[in-house]
Amino acid sequence: MKRYLLLLLIIAGSCKFNDNYVPTRIEGTQLEITSTIESNDSIEMFIQPYKLNIDREMEQVLAYLPYNLTKTDGELNTAIGNLMADALMELSNPIFENRTGDKIDIVLLNFGGIRSSIPKGDITTRTAFQVMPFENEVVVATLKGEAVREMIHYLIDSGNAHPVAGIELQLEKDNSIRKVLIQGEPLQEDKTYNVATNDYLLQGGDNMVFFSRAQKVTNLDYKVRNLLIDYFKQEDTLIPVRDQRFIRVN
């Protein structure tokens, strides 16, 4: 993969800088970074202690996984997706309940947000950064039942195994709904539900436009990646599996 350094040259209309300064011309030059560029030993020596410290933190073992996890091991739900959704439900719920006196009903993340598989073996801090490299934060959107039904149809139409928790959705072969339960109870159109997700999806990412109908949004000030790290720390051995939360009945 080629790497480039972009240099911007701003040509000033005047040598005097002030609040009203406006450049007269901006020029850009793209310099390709190749192996022919000699390393700078002084810079490498300067950053080496920081690199060693970061590597030490990133390789800290947090848990163990007895088998490989990929996001393609299931049609409508996957073990890695279930792991992420369940972790978010378990660690976000106490925070949300403490702040609002209410509970999270549903978790919804996105299939595309799972950025790496997890190989069998030690789970480290680096694992969390590989799976979730983004700075996304956990938010809880309060939605009416009709908006949740829109969310359910989004899940059906997308054809992807978006990570979910708190919901049981069964489809017939033709994709019609056989059963939908929220926290073990039938979906009610006039009831409100608290849906935990991330701030990217809240803003309509992955075309999840139903979040625009949120009656209230609570930001938990908790990055999804940090939540995963905390979840890994509290577990000795991870044993996520595919289950019946979102299936098509044969």
PDB file of all heavy atoms in Angstrom, residues 161-175:
ATOM      1  N   ALA A 161     -26.214  -9.463   9.457  1.00  0.00           N
ATOM      2  CA  ALA A 161     -26.318  -9.880  10.851  1.00  0.00           C
ATOM      3  C   ALA A 161     -25.896  -8.730  11.760  1.00  0.00           C
ATOM      4  O   ALA A 161     -24.836  -8.772  12.393  1.00  0.00           O
ATOM      5  CB  ALA A 161     -25.458 -11.111  11.094  1.00  0.00           C
ATOM      6  N   HIS A 162     -26.729  -7.688  11.826  1.00  0.00           N
ATOM      7  CA  HIS A 162     -26.442  -6.578  12.732  1.00  0.00           C
ATOM      8  C   HIS A 162     -26.534  -7.069  14.175  1.00  0.00           C
ATOM      9  O   HIS A 162     -27.506  -7.738  14.547  1.00  0.00           O
ATOM     10  CB  HIS A 162     -27.426  -5.427  12.508  1.00  0.00           C
ATOM     11  CG  HIS A 162     -27.325  -4.784  11.164  1.00  0.00           C
ATOM     12  ND1 HIS A 162     -26.208  -4.098  10.751  1.00  0.00           N
ATOM     13  CD2 HIS A 162     -28.203  -4.719  10.129  1.00  0.00           C
ATOM     14  CE1 HIS A 162     -26.400  -3.624   9.537  1.00  0.00           C
ATOM     15  NE2 HIS A 162     -27.600  -4.004   9.127  1.00  0.00           N
ATOM     16  N   PRO A 163     -25.550  -6.748  15.019  1.00  0.00           N
ATOM     17  CA  PRO A 163     -25.604  -7.205  16.413  1.00  0.00           C
ATOM     18  C   PRO A 163     -26.794  -6.618  17.157  1.00  0.00           C
ATOM     19  O   PRO A 163     -27.010  -5.403  17.161  1.00  0.00           O
ATOM     20  CB  PRO A 163     -24.285  -6.673  16.996  1.00  0.00           C
ATOM     21  CG  PRO A 163     -23.381  -6.518  15.828  1.00  0.00           C
ATOM     22  CD  PRO A 163     -24.270  -6.080  14.708  1.00  0.00           C
ATOM     23  N   VAL A 164     -27.571  -7.479  17.796  1.00  0.00           N
ATOM     24  CA  VAL A 164     -28.727  -7.041  18.574  1.00  0.00           C
ATOM     25  C   VAL A 164     -28.769  -7.802  19.893  1.00  0.00           C
ATOM     26  O   VAL A 164     -28.218  -8.903  20.019  1.00  0.00           O
ATOM     27  CB  VAL A 164     -30.068  -7.253  17.825  1.00  0.00           C
ATOM     28  CG1 VAL A 164     -30.133  -6.396  16.576  1.00  0.00           C
ATOM     29  CG2 VAL A 164     -30.282  -8.732  17.487  1.00  0.00           C
ATOM     30  N   ALA A 165     -29.438  -7.226  20.862  1.00  0.00           N
ATOM     31  CA  ALA A 165     -29.698  -7.886  22.145  1.00  0.00           C
ATOM     32  C   ALA A 165     -31.018  -7.356  22.677  1.00  0.00           C
ATOM     33  O   ALA A 165     -31.452  -6.256  22.328  1.00  0.00           O
ATOM     34  CB  ALA A 165     -28.569  -7.620  23.142  1.00  0.00           C
ATOM     35  N   GLY A 166     -31.682  -8.157  23.525  1.00  0.00           N
ATOM     36  CA  GLY A 166     -32.957  -7.752  24.100  1.00  0.00           C
ATOM     37  C   GLY A 166     -34.149  -7.996  23.207  1.00  0.00           C
ATOM     38  O   GLY A 166     -35.285  -7.722  23.584  1.00  0.00           O
ATOM     39  N   ILE A 167     -33.894  -8.524  22.017  1.00  0.00           N
ATOM     40  CA  ILE A 167     -34.958  -8.735  21.037  1.00  0.00           C
ATOM     41  C   ILE A 167     -34.912 -10.173  20.538  1.00  0.00           C
ATOM     42  O   ILE A 167     -33.838 -10.760  20.423  1.00  0.00           O
ATOM     43  CB  ILE A 167     -34.824  -7.743  19.858  1.00  0.00           C
ATOM     44  CG1 ILE A 167     -36.011  -7.881  18.890  1.00  0.00           C
ATOM     45  CG2 ILE A 167     -33.501  -7.921  19.125  1.00  0.00           C
ATOM     46  CD1 ILE A 167     -36.043  -6.789  17.838  1.00  0.00           C
ATOM     47  N   GLU A 168     -36.066 -10.748  20.281  1.00  0.00           N
ATOM     48  CA  GLU A 168     -36.171 -12.058  19.641  1.00  0.00           C
ATOM     49  C   GLU A 168     -37.022 -11.899  18.391  1.00  0.00           C
ATOM     50  O   GLU A 168     -38.198 -11.535  18.476  1.00  0.00           O
ATOM     51  CB  GLU A 168     -36.784 -13.099  20.584  1.00  0.00           C
ATOM     52  CG  GLU A 168     -36.838 -14.495  19.977  1.00  0.00           C
ATOM     53  CD  GLU A 168     -37.456 -15.526  20.907  1.00  0.00           C
ATOM     54  OE1 GLU A 168     -37.709 -15.196  22.082  1.00  0.00           O
ATOM     55  OE2 GLU A 168     -37.703 -16.656  20.448  1.00  0.00           O
ATOM     56  N   LEU A 169     -36.422 -12.155  17.244  1.00  0.00           N
ATOM     57  CA  LEU A 169     -37.093 -11.944  15.967  1.00  0.00           C
ATOM     58  C   LEU A 169     -36.995 -13.213  15.132  1.00  0.00           C
ATOM     59  O   LEU A 169     -35.902 -13.667  14.800  1.00  0.00           O
ATOM     60  CB  LEU A 169     -36.438 -10.764  15.238  1.00  0.00           C
ATOM     61  CG  LEU A 169     -36.975 -10.406  13.844  1.00  0.00           C
ATOM     62  CD1 LEU A 169     -38.469 -10.097  13.881  1.00  0.00           C
ATOM     63  CD2 LEU A 169     -36.192  -9.221  13.286  1.00  0.00           C
ATOM     64  N   GLN A 170     -38.148 -13.783  14.808  1.00  0.00           N
ATOM     65  CA  GLN A 170     -38.216 -14.979  13.970  1.00  0.00           C
ATOM     66  C   GLN A 170     -38.922 -14.651  12.665  1.00  0.00           C
ATOM     67  O   GLN A 170     -40.002 -14.041  12.672  1.00  0.00           O
ATOM     68  CB  GLN A 170     -38.964 -16.108  14.684  1.00  0.00           C
ATOM     69  CG  GLN A 170     -38.238 -16.694  15.868  1.00  0.00           C
ATOM     70  CD  GLN A 170     -38.956 -17.901  16.444  1.00  0.00           C
ATOM     71  OE1 GLN A 170     -39.969 -18.369  15.896  1.00  0.00           O
ATOM     72  NE2 GLN A 170     -38.457 -18.418  17.559  1.00  0.00           N
ATOM     73  N   LEU A 171     -38.313 -15.067  11.557  1.00  0.00           N
ATOM     74  CA  LEU A 171     -38.867 -14.815  10.232  1.00  0.00           C
ATOM     75  C   LEU A 171     -39.292 -16.115   9.569  1.00  0.00           C
ATOM     76  O   LEU A 171     -38.681 -17.168   9.800  1.00  0.00           O
ATOM     77  CB  LEU A 171     -37.830 -14.124   9.341  1.00  0.00           C
ATOM     78  CG  LEU A 171     -37.191 -12.841   9.850  1.00  0.00           C
ATOM     79  CD1 LEU A 171     -36.199 -12.316   8.818  1.00  0.00           C
ATOM     80  CD2 LEU A 171     -38.239 -11.797  10.186  1.00  0.00           C
ATOM     81  N   GLU A 172     -40.325 -16.011   8.751  1.00  0.00           N
ATOM     82  CA  GLU A 172     -40.687 -17.125   7.886  1.00  0.00           C
ATOM     83  C   GLU A 172     -39.726 -17.152   6.695  1.00  0.00           C
ATOM     84  O   GLU A 172     -38.898 -16.249   6.516  1.00  0.00           O
ATOM     85  CB  GLU A 172     -42.133 -16.972   7.394  1.00  0.00           C
ATOM     86  CG  GLU A 172     -43.168 -16.890   8.493  1.00  0.00           C
ATOM     87  CD  GLU A 172     -43.431 -18.220   9.181  1.00  0.00           C
ATOM     88  OE1 GLU A 172     -42.803 -19.237   8.784  1.00  0.00           O
ATOM     89  OE2 GLU A 172     -44.256 -18.255  10.114  1.00  0.00           O
ATOM     90  N   LYS A 173     -39.829 -18.181   5.860  1.00  0.00           N
ATOM     91  CA  LYS A 173     -38.945 -18.294   4.702  1.00  0.00           C
ATOM     92  C   LYS A 173     -39.076 -17.105   3.759  1.00  0.00           C
ATOM     93  O   LYS A 173     -38.113 -16.716   3.092  1.00  0.00           O
ATOM     94  CB  LYS A 173     -39.243 -19.589   3.936  1.00  0.00           C
ATOM     95  CG  LYS A 173     -38.822 -20.846   4.683  1.00  0.00           C
ATOM     96  CD  LYS A 173     -39.102 -22.077   3.835  1.00  0.00           C
ATOM     97  CE  LYS A 173     -38.673 -23.348   4.573  1.00  0.00           C
ATOM     98  NZ  LYS A 173     -38.938 -24.573   3.779  1.00  0.00           N
ATOM     99  N   ASP A 174     -40.281 -16.513   3.700  1.00  0.00           N
ATOM    100  CA  ASP A 174     -40.503 -15.379   2.800  1.00  0.00           C
ATOM    101  C   ASP A 174     -40.191 -14.033   3.463  1.00  0.00           C
ATOM    102  O   ASP A 174     -40.535 -12.974   2.951  1.00  0.00           O
ATOM    103  CB  ASP A 174     -41.942 -15.370   2.281  1.00  0.00           C
ATOM    104  CG  ASP A 174     -42.964 -15.215   3.410  1.00  0.00           C
ATOM    105  OD1 ASP A 174     -42.556 -15.146   4.594  1.00  0.00           O
ATOM    106  OD2 ASP A 174     -44.177 -15.163   3.111  1.00  0.00           O
ATOM    107  N   ASN A 175     -39.533 -14.077   4.624  1.00  0.00           N
ATOM    108  CA  ASN A 175     -39.143 -12.889   5.380  1.00  0.00           C
ATOM    109  C   ASN A 175     -40.282 -12.199   6.117  1.00  0.00           C
ATOM    110  O   ASN A 175     -40.083 -11.121   6.691  1.00  0.00           O
ATOM    111  CB  ASN A 175     -38.404 -11.855   4.508  1.00  0.00           C
ATOM    112  CG  ASN A 175     -36.913 -12.094   4.487  1.00  0.00           C
ATOM    113  OD1 ASN A 175     -36.415 -13.081   5.032  1.00  0.00           O
ATOM    114  ND2 ASN A 175     -36.170 -11.199   3.856  1.00  0.00           N
TER     115      ASN A 175
END
